[in-house]
Structures are given as structure tokens and as C-alpha cells.
Amino acid sequence: MPHQSKLSSRINLRRLIVLVAFASAIISLANTFYATFRVQRQLLIDSTLEANHAYAHKLAGSTEDFLQSTRQQLAYSAGLLARQFGDRAALNAEAGRLRKQTNSFNSVLIVDARGVVQGVSPETLAVRDTRLTTLGAQQALRERRPLITQPYLSSVGNLVIFISHPVFAANGDYLGYVGGSIYLKQKNILSRLLGEHYYRDGSYLYVVDQKRRLLYHPDPGRVGATAGGNTVIDAIVRGENGSGRTVNTLGVDMLAGYAVLPSTGWGIVAQRPTLATLAPLNQLMLNTVWHTLPIALLTLPLIWWLARLISRPLVQLAEGASRMDAPGMAERIGRIGVWYLEAAQIKRALLVGMSLLQNKIGKLKSDVQTDPLTGLANRRGMDAALEAWQAQSRAFSVIAIDIDHFKQVNDRWGHAVGDAVILRLAQLMRAGSRDHDVLCRNGGDEFLMLLPDASLDIALQVAERLRGRVAEAEIPGAGAITVSLGVVSSSQQDGDSASILLAADAALYVAKERGRNCVGVNEMLARHG
């Protein structure tokens, strides 16, 4: 409980509104930033994947065009060589022309049907009149069709790809083949085609064949190596084109686009580090935060002002509710200005509640000071009136009343008839009194009439009039009854209210001693009836 009261003293409605508004703004802003970041991040990733795929597809098309061009060159050369295959000088000249004219090959060989080199360029290779037993040479002799080999080691130790075309005589006899070699670990046409890519921010290209061997890589040391497990290379082996997120051999997260050459099955891969792709977004979000922060700080005073404006009527109503017993609080609450529905409803409910509470308190107070049977004042009500008059030094007269032989009424007719007698007497007392007179039932069959500002003579008149009306009244079940009355005035009796009441009792006793149904006052007695 102490902890709760301490907490409640710290937190009020204004602080709660500011806290909720600030928390809502922060959460909304954070959610907006996060959603924006996620959307922009995915857009960057998707656009990079699409761009890399488009780039890889474009390079694959260029490489495919190059291969088709080399095949056409070799086919044209094969047609020329068919007419001069026995002229070695012509063969050497044609080999030189093929190598130098387009710069497509690192070397060119013209080989007869036995696999012996008849023409070569450059001549520094020193393989003329040599029978070739390499993989590419054997495959060209065996298949006798245009082909592009898988990478293999040449007779002089170069890792090459061999592109060849068969040479047939006019009568259809197989004369041999003409072919060009691309040295994968030296400067070649592939490195010129693919090496023009600007390798910034860690992005790069590579080419892989169907056996996962690297045909081109920006790191020459990796050319000819077999790539390990990689989702992109797996897709290329399946002959698929597309894009995807993968991790390279160095453990770097990459965004890759890839395309497969239809004629060879080679795959060209263009990829960029994911971090490099997202770096501009991170800086953009940071700049957004810095630009948003001043606006958020400027919004705080507005939130505070609005919280004050909203909470002020509720705070005032709460203060009024905590001091409902203070004088004039209902009027103060009524003057509180409210400008929105909920506060107005609370104010209305509070005022209604205070009114009901005050009525309830008034009723309880009245019940405490009222005799439940007759509705006349009881001993407490009488004491309160006497105390107030004495405090004001206000003169008053007292009429003490007692029902004659009331016990016999109860014993003979029962308590119900006795109660009817008491109620009838109370009615007659009210009928013969003023509005500001205090009428009391002092207990049992004893009653008092307190007459403020009334002299002894007036009190005697009131007493005599009441005595006569009671004597004349017929009460069902009881018949006629009489009362004895004692009258005293505070102006003729020294002492406090208690002594005045005792004097009234003494006057009543005088009336009873003189035969009842009369009014007694000091030593004076008036008898009627």
C-alpha cells in the first residue's frame, strides 16, 4: 500500500497522457522506420538480383555470339583449306591469318586425319609434324564435327579450351580439322569480354562449366579449379537461368544473377556482396532519423500542451471529488469549464452524486434526530435546537406534555391503539404550532413543544388550546383521552436548558397533582374541562 500511494503521487493524468502519446509516437515511428527499412531492403535485394541476372544474361549473349562467330570463322577456313590441304605454306599462312585477324584464339592448329600438325600459329609452339594425343585433339579426330571441348591440358602444358571444325575434301573424304585454342590462364578473349566489368564494392563475374570447373575468375589462381557446393552453380548444372542469394567460398553473402550459354552449358555468374548492396540503405535510414529527430523534439511541447488542455478539467474534477465535504464545493465544481463530452459527463455525474450524497446525509441526520413513529424530533433533535438557541441567547418557552393514564390504554386496548393515540397527539401538536417551533417526543407518552421567541403568556395559550383539542378528539379504539401540560419560559427561569426542562417537568408535575387534563406553570394552575 505505501508503494502504491507513492506511485500514485508521482503519476497523474497529464503525465500518463504525455507518456502514452510519446510512447505511441515512438512506437509508430519505429514501426514506420522498420517497415520502410524492410521494404526498401527487399527492393534493393530484388533489384540487385534482377540487375545481376540481366547483366549475366547480357554477357552470356555476348559470349554466345563470340563462340558462334569463331565457329563461322573456322567453318569458312575449313572450306578454304579443303582445296589446298597439301600446300604446307598455305596451311601456315591460313593459321596465321585466323589467329591475327580476329585475335579470338591464343593459338591456331591445322591437323591432318592422322592427328599430325600440318600448320601452326604462332610457330614458336614447335609442334609442327607432331602427332597430338591431347584430349581435344583426340575428340576432334574421333567425332569429326564442330565442337568446343571441355578444359584440358595442352601438349605444352597450357589449360585450354579447343574450338575446332572438320575439313572435308570435295569428294567427302575427311582430311583433318582446323582449330583454335583459348588459354584459360593467360590473357584471352574471355578475359577481354568479361574483364571490362568494373570490380568495385566487391562485385565480380566468373564462368563455370557443367563440371563445376572455373573457366574465368578475377583471381587467375582459381581458374581451372573446381567450385564446391553452391546453390547458384547447382542451378547452372541443371541448365537454369535466374538469380539467388548465396554464400561464396570466402563465406561472403552474395546476390548473384546467372545465365547459361545454350551451345556449351557454361554458366556466367554476376554477383555483388549483400552488405555492399544494403550499405546505401543503412546510411539513408540514418539520415532519415537525423532529419526526423528535430521534428519529433518540436512535437514534444505540443504534446505537453495538449495533455495539459485535456487533463485540466479532469484534474479539477478529481480535486473537487477529494474535497466533496468542503463548503461550497458543489458550486466550485459547477464553475469548472469542460470542453469535451467525457469531462462533461463526469462533471454531471459528480454533481448528481454530490446532491444525492448530501440528501442522503441530510436524511441520515434527520433520521438520527427524529422519532421514527411520529416524525417529531427526538432527544437529539431537541438538544440540538436548545443548544443553538442558547448559543444565540434566544428566548424560548417550553411546553411539557404527558398523556393521562397512557399505561391503561396500552394494557386495555393494546400497543397498536397506544401507537394510534401517540400519532393523533403528534398531529394535533403540529396543527397547533408554528413552522419554526420544535416538536419533540421525549420518550413513551412524554412530549415537548419548544417555542422560540414566545413569551410565557403565548405558551400558555398554545398549551391550553392543545389541551382542549386533545380532550375533544375521538381516537378509534381508545375513545377520548386527555393530556397534562407544564409550561415554563426561559426569560423567567434562570439556568441552562437542562434546568429549564426540569422546570417544565416540575410544572407538568403540578398539573398532574391538580387532577390532570390541565396546564401547570410554576405554582399557578389553570384547570379546564
Side-chain angles (χ1 to χ4, degrees):
M1 290 298 292
H3 175 72
Q4 290 180 353
S5 65
K6 184 177 181 181
L7 186 63
S8 63
S9 64
R10 290 182 182 177
I11 299 178
N12 56 32
L13 182 61
R14 185 184 306 166
R15 290 191 178 95
L16 282 176
I17 293 174
V18 172
L19 181 62
V20 170
F22 186 71
S24 300
I26 291 296
I27 292 173
S28 298
L29 192 62
N31 182 65
T32 300
F33 277 137
Y34 179 74
T36 302
F37 175 79
R38 295 292 299 179
V39 170
Q40 293 297 327
R41 182 177 183 272
Q42 193 59 46
L43 284 175
L44 276 176
I45 290 175
D46 292 344
S47 61
T48 300
L49 288 172
E50 182 62 28
N52 286 343
H53 175 236
Y55 189 42
H57 183 75
K58 178 181 178 181
L59 291 176
S62 299
T63 305
E64 183 70 22
D65 291 343
F66 159 73
L67 293 177
Q68 292 298 329
S69 175
T70 58
R71 286 181 169 184
Q72 290 175 2
Q73 294 173 29
L74 292 174
Y76 178 77
S77 180
L80 295 177
L81 292 173
R83 296 190 295 270
Q84 51 188 357
F85 207 79
D87 186 349
R88 300 193 66 175
L91 296 180
N92 281 331
E94 180 60 18
R97 183 192 68 80
L98 274 175
R99 186 177 70 86
K100 295 177 181 180
Q101 184 175 6
T102 62
N103 205 25
S104 299
F105 305 110
N106 293 93
S107 64
V108 175
L109 297 176
I110 300 174
V111 182
D112 63 17
R114 299 169 302 161
V116 177
V117 177
Q118 299 297 321
V120 61
S121 177
E123 295 184 4
T124 56
L125 289 180
V127 292
R128 184 181 297 172
D129 297 325
T130 302
R131 182 183 296 274
L132 298 178
T133 58
T134 60
L135 177 65
Q138 295 299 317
Q139 184 179 0
L141 288 174
R142 183 175 60 254
E143 298 187 14
R144 297 183 179 183
R145 64 178 180 83
L147 59 83
I148 301 175
T149 67
Q150 298 295 328
Y152 67 92
L153 287 175
S154 68
S155 59
V156 293
N158 290 319
L159 182 64
V160 301
I161 293 173
F162 191 61
I163 304 173
S164 64
H165 195 283
V167 180
F168 290 96
N171 60 2
D173 292 339
Y174 177 68
L175 301 179
Y177 62 85
V178 57
S181 299
I182 298 175
Y183 297 169
L184 296 178
K185 292 193 174 184
Q186 298 180 19
K187 289 184 178 181
N188 57 65
I189 187 62
L190 288 179
S191 64
R192 288 193 296 273
L193 283 173
L194 305 177
E196 295 178 356
H197 177 67
Y198 184 43
Y199 299 109
R200 58 184 179 182
D201 64 27
S203 60
Y204 60 92
L205 299 167
Y206 66 89
V207 181
V208 64
D209 66 9
Q210 287 292 302
K211 292 186 177 180
R212 299 176 180 269
R213 180 174 289 185
L214 293 173
L215 305 182
Y216 170 77
H217 197 279
D219 179 8
R222 297 201 59 196
V223 174
T226 300
N230 186 304
T231 56
V232 169
I233 296 178
D234 292 341
I236 290 173
V237 172
R238 294 192 298 268
E240 299 174 359
N241 298 315
S243 60
R245 194 167 177 177
T246 187
V247 178
N248 68 7
T249 55
L250 299 179
V252 179
D253 192 305
M254 306 294 286
L255 301 175
Y258 50 91
V260 176
L261 277 69
S263 61
T264 62
W266 299 349
I268 296 181
V269 181
Q271 58 186 17
R272 186 184 188 192
T274 304
L275 287 179
T277 300
L278 299 179
L281 176 61
N282 296 333
Q283 186 61 44
L284 175 63
M285 298 305 296
L286 184 61
N287 292 338
T288 303
V289 171
W290 281 115
H291 284 86
T292 306
L293 191 59
I295 299 175
L297 293 177
L298 290 175
T299 306
L300 285 179
L302 178 61
I303 294 176
W304 179 265
W305 179 78
L306 287 174
R308 177 184 176 86
L309 187 64
I310 294 171
S311 65
R312 184 173 181 178
L314 296 178
V315 170
Q316 291 175 336
L317 290 173
E319 291 176 354
S322 66
R323 300 172 57 196
M324 286 177 25
D325 56 341
M329 185 52 65
E331 291 76 12
R332 292 178 58 185
I333 291 176
R335 290 194 298 269
I336 295 175
V338 292
W339 56 274
Y340 53 94
L341 177 63
E342 289 76 8
Q345 290 177 333
I346 293 173
K347 175 182 176 181
R348 187 181 305 110
L350 190 57
L351 290 174
V352 170
M354 289 182 68
S355 176
L356 292 175
L357 180 61
Q358 290 172 355
N359 292 337
K360 189 70 173 179
I361 292 173
K363 186 176 184 304
L364 289 174
K365 185 176 180 180
S366 175
D367 290 345
V368 169
Q369 296 181 355
T370 302
D371 175 61
L373 178 60
T374 62
L376 303 180
N378 60 14
R379 183 80 184 194
R380 290 189 182 90
M382 177 189 71
D383 290 342
L386 292 174
E387 183 179 350
W389 294 345
Q390 282 204 325
Q392 300 168 4
S393 299
R394 189 175 185 182
F396 60 91
S397 294
V398 177
I399 302 176
I401 307 167
D402 187 79
I403 302 174
D404 297 331
H405 307 296
F406 182 71
K407 185 176 183 302
Q408 295 177 10
V409 173
N410 278 335
D411 293 341
R412 183 176 181 181
W413 306 110
H415 289 284
V417 175
D419 289 346
V421 171
I422 290 173
L423 287 171
R424 182 58 177 159
L425 177 58
Q427 293 172 357
L428 294 173
M429 289 171 63
R430 288 192 183 94
S433 63
R434 300 169 297 178
D435 290 340
H436 55 278
D437 293 339
V438 179
L439 310 180
C440 309
R441 182 187 179 196
N442 201 25
D445 59 341
E446 298 177 0
F447 294 82
L448 290 171
M449 296 180 69
L450 308 179
L451 313 177
D453 305 320
S455 65
L456 181 61
D457 291 338
I458 292 176
L460 286 171
Q461 294 175 18
V462 172
E464 181 59 32
R465 185 167 56 248
L466 176 62
R467 184 205 64 76
R469 289 180 177 177
V470 172
E472 294 173 357
E474 274 296 324
I475 301 174
I481 63 169
T482 60
V483 294
S484 299
L485 304 94
V487 181
V488 68
S489 174
S490 65
S491 59
Q492 297 181 356
Q493 179 69 40
D494 296 332
D496 57 9
S497 59
S499 62
I500 296 172
L501 294 177
L502 288 174
D505 285 340
L508 175 62
Y509 181 75
V510 170
K512 286 182 176 289
E513 286 293 321
R514 297 301 176 93
R516 295 183 172 84
N517 191 24
C518 61
V519 177
V521 52
N522 293 336
E523 297 298 326
M524 299 175 62
L525 178 65
R527 182 176 180 84
H528 301 274

